[in-house]
Amino acid sequence: MTGVRGQLDRRVFMGGAAASLAGPPLARPAFAATGDPARPFDAPYAPVQVSPDRVIRSVVGLRPYRAAGFVLKRENVARRTLIHNYGHGGCGVTLSWGCARMAVELAAETGERRAAIIGSGVMGLTTAAVLAQRGYDVTLYAEDFPPNTTSNIAGALWFPTSLYDPDVAGDAFLAQFRQAARLAHRDFQHLANRPGYGVWWLRFLELHDAAPATPLAPAIEGNDLYPGRAASLDPEANLGFPYAVRFHALMIDPDHFLPALMADIRRAGGRFVQRRFETPGAVYDLKEKLIFNCSGYGAKALFGDDAMTPISGQLTLLLPQTDIDYGYVNPSEDGLAYMFPRRGAIVLGGTTNKGDASLAVNDAEKQRMLARHAAIAASAR
């Protein structure tokens, strides 16, 4: 992805960990659950209650990773215009609106007003929403729809990660990434605290065991997308860690955001058709002459993209806490650990098993994750 920013290599953001008790929450107003404005960094941090008896479930998803970066291009084939928009690694939700708008711009000069979209993850839904906003006749085809998509499993903090290998991706891709990120962030800003969309601001911390040897590097997509971004050397303000990079970030809850998108598309006249595509020919047989390929990891088999590599990520969901109004990520020799609050759960991650296409939950990894986050919660008291 974008390399080391704030001394955290966000090319591979997810990590692992695993179980003890964190203690009771602090008694104070519920910000995360209500969507109230983000609190200042010096406000108290309630500890997450991490214990096996608070686990709701564990799930595994596959990030569609490409070392060279995502594919966003147009081609003419079988008397159809095919626009590819896939391969976003761990950035699907983060880049969704931006890549959707850029993909639709590629279609503008075709003159076609009827569009088919392959895939019902966040890329397919945001592309459909943008098309519908612009008056296109839209049909979305997919084998599964939310809540049964990889996008439903996403951590969904607005924080680009697991996106590309800087030794492979070139300057043209970095420029494309920056444009997509800035476009996407602007759309999510407009949705923040809007009822029903599950988007809000929260304070976020990159927690480190030691201060870095080099200064905090700027974000390629722009520091202005992370209000208040600054380094802190105060352990009492850093959940007990000697060094942290703190900023306010947008949090997106897929369990609210994806259904809201589907409702918007339906209100605009869009249609959802359940269909599985085994070959490119089946795609080209569609009646629509304008087709958007938003099939995510499915593009590997459907369109023969052998550059696509799965990166499996495991999440463990805990019972929600209304007093958790912050998130964090902590890299260590043991991997990374991250925590995001949602309305319906506390999300603990994560793992980054590159090349692993298994969707089976690893119980040992689950226990390691619980223990790691419990230790972080204990330091937050």
Side-chain angles (χ1 to χ4, degrees):
M1 112 102 245
T2 54
V4 178
R5 281 186 262 162
Q7 317 314 316
L8 171 63
D9 187 345
R10 297 200 279 145
R11 286 170 288 167
V12 281
F13 179 102
M14 316 304 179
S20 67
L21 298 174
L26 299 177
R28 56 187 176 79
F31 284 81
T34 62
D36 287 346
R39 302 189 85 197
F41 297 118
D42 59 359
Y45 292 87
V48 179
Q49 299 179 58
V50 185
S51 63
D53 62 351
R54 294 188 64 84
V55 172
I56 300 171
R57 68 182 184 279
S58 292
V59 293
V60 177
L62 302 180
R63 307 177 188 94
Y65 175 79
R66 300 180 80 259
F70 59 79
V71 176
L72 187 58
K73 68 178 183 179
R74 181 181 65 200
E75 63 176 323
N76 297 318
V77 57
R79 292 181 294 179
R80 300 287 189 273
T81 298
L82 180 63
I83 297 176
H84 294 287
N85 181 16
Y86 70 88
H88 300 83
C91 294
V93 175
T94 292
L95 297 179
S96 56
W97 285 117
C99 286
R101 294 197 180 281
M102 293 166 71
V104 172
E105 286 300 321
L106 292 176
E109 64 188 54
T110 68
E112 294 291 338
R113 302 299 295 175
R114 296 179 64 188
I117 298 172
I118 311 302
S120 66
V122 69
M123 282 297 167
L125 292 177
T126 50
T127 300
V130 173
L131 287 166
Q133 290 168 359
R134 300 188 181 187
Y136 284 76
D137 183 305
V138 179
T139 302
L140 197 149
Y141 298 90
E143 182 178 8
D144 294 304
F145 295 95
N148 301 311
T149 70
T150 298
S151 295
N152 286 93
I153 302 173
L157 177 81
W158 202 98
F159 190 70
T161 179
S162 303
L163 179 60
Y164 67 88
D165 182 339
D167 294 328
V168 178
D171 291 342
F173 171 77
L174 292 180
Q176 180 176 253
F177 158 64
R178 188 176 191 276
Q179 180 184 0
R182 297 190 66 82
L183 287 171
H185 198 272
R186 177 59 61 87
D187 276 331
F188 279 117
Q189 289 176 30
H190 291 313
L191 293 177
N193 287 351
R194 183 174 173 182
Y197 285 87
V199 181
W200 69 99
W201 288 96
L202 83 170
R203 49 190 179 156
F204 191 78
L205 303 94
E206 297 176 13
L207 303 171
H208 298 266
D209 296 325
T214 57
L216 179 62
I220 289 178
E221 60 272 27
N223 281 354
D224 58 315
L225 303 190
Y226 307 96
R229 185 173 185 261
S232 170
L233 294 169
D234 180 4
E236 291 188 6
N238 302 339
L239 305 185
F241 286 80
Y243 178 79
V245 178
R246 304 186 301 183
F247 52 88
H248 283 101
L250 284 163
M251 188 72 221
I252 302 107
D253 188 336
D255 288 338
H256 292 259
F257 180 57
L258 301 181
L261 285 178
M262 294 181 74
D264 286 347
I265 294 164
R266 287 193 174 100
R267 279 193 293 269
R271 296 170 294 278
F272 294 81
V273 176
Q274 190 167 28
R275 185 174 302 181
R276 177 182 176 86
F277 296 93
E278 300 285 355
T279 65
V283 174
Y284 305 143
D285 285 341
L286 292 171
K287 63 180 181 297
E288 293 88 356
K289 294 183 179 180
L290 175 60
I291 302 171
F292 292 81
N293 168 30
C294 302
S295 56
Y297 185 65
K300 180 179 179 69
L302 184 57
F303 290 98
D305 188 345
D306 293 330
M308 187 88 75
T309 300
I311 298 181
S312 67
Q314 182 168 306
L315 302 178
T316 291
L317 308 183
L318 304 180
L319 292 170
Q321 284 182 246
T322 58
D323 56 352
I324 302 301
D325 59 357
Y326 65 95
Y328 64 73
V329 59
N330 169 228
S332 74
E333 294 180 356
D334 191 36
L336 278 76
Y338 65 88
M339 182 280 294
F340 307 146
R342 291 185 186 171
R343 270 62 169 179
I346 297 292
V347 178
L348 304 182
T351 54
T352 51
N353 296 323
K354 192 172 182 180
D356 182 4
S358 173
L359 295 176
V361 172
N362 184 317
D363 190 64
E365 183 66 14
K366 170 186 170 182
Q367 299 305 320
R368 187 173 72 89
M369 192 181 300
L370 286 170
R372 175 81 170 280
H373 287 282
I376 294 173
S379 69
R381 297 185 203 176

